[in-house]
Amino acid sequence: MGKAMEKVNSGRRRARFTKEFKLEAVRLLEAGEKPATQLAAELGIRRNQLNKWQAQLRSKGSERAFRGPGAKPLSELSEVERLRRELKRVTEERDILKKAAAYFAKELP
């Protein structure tokens, strides 16, 4: 119980690939000029990762696939933008009302 737990491969970093790299890898896979295993080895990735990218591209399409870690869906992004605009408008209205209240408070006896 007194032993400290060490992480396995603690110095190893997770590989990250750009959207363009993934799209090109899937394009090469679907071209069928080389077997998936050989193509994955040449690209420096695992074969199952290449298959996952292909499945993701087929299910989501090129616009929505490979949006990055933690990226919000497009529908939520538009909702956030709408709420930001509304917050800005309401904040401006509040500031105007504060100034008006201060102005009218000065005129009271």
Side-chain angles (χ1 to χ4, degrees):
M1 279 210 186
K3 267 177 124 178
M5 297 290 290
E6 281 188 41
K7 288 184 177 182
V8 177
N9 297 329
S10 61
R12 187 173 171 187
R13 295 199 59 136
R14 185 177 207 168
R16 300 210 184 262
F17 301 98
T18 64
K19 180 177 182 171
E20 293 77 22
F21 179 85
K22 293 175 184 180
L23 289 171
E24 182 64 16
V26 172
R27 187 191 67 76
L28 291 171
L29 176 64
E30 291 177 347
E33 295 174 7
K34 297 179 182 179
T37 306
Q38 181 183 355
L39 181 61
E42 289 175 3
L43 294 173
I45 58 175
R46 296 180 321 273
R47 188 189 84 237
N48 66 331
Q49 187 64 58
L50 189 57
N51 292 333
K52 285 180 185 179
W53 290 346
Q54 183 182 36
Q56 185 178 1
L57 186 60
R58 285 182 179 168
S59 68
K60 295 184 178 182
S62 63
E63 289 298 316
R64 297 187 67 186
F66 317 128
R67 296 201 48 221
K72 301 278 188 234
L74 293 174
S75 60
E76 287 183 29
L77 286 177
S78 61
E79 178 72 7
V80 169
E81 291 303 317
R82 186 188 67 76
L83 291 172
R84 283 187 180 147
R85 284 193 302 270
E86 184 178 346
L87 177 62
K88 182 180 177 185
R89 182 184 57 80
V90 170
T91 303
E92 289 172 356
E93 289 175 0
R94 183 207 58 203
D95 292 344
I96 291 169
L97 289 173
K98 276 184 174 179
K99 290 176 183 177
Y103 175 77
F104 289 116
K106 288 181 190 177
E107 292 188 10
L108 292 176

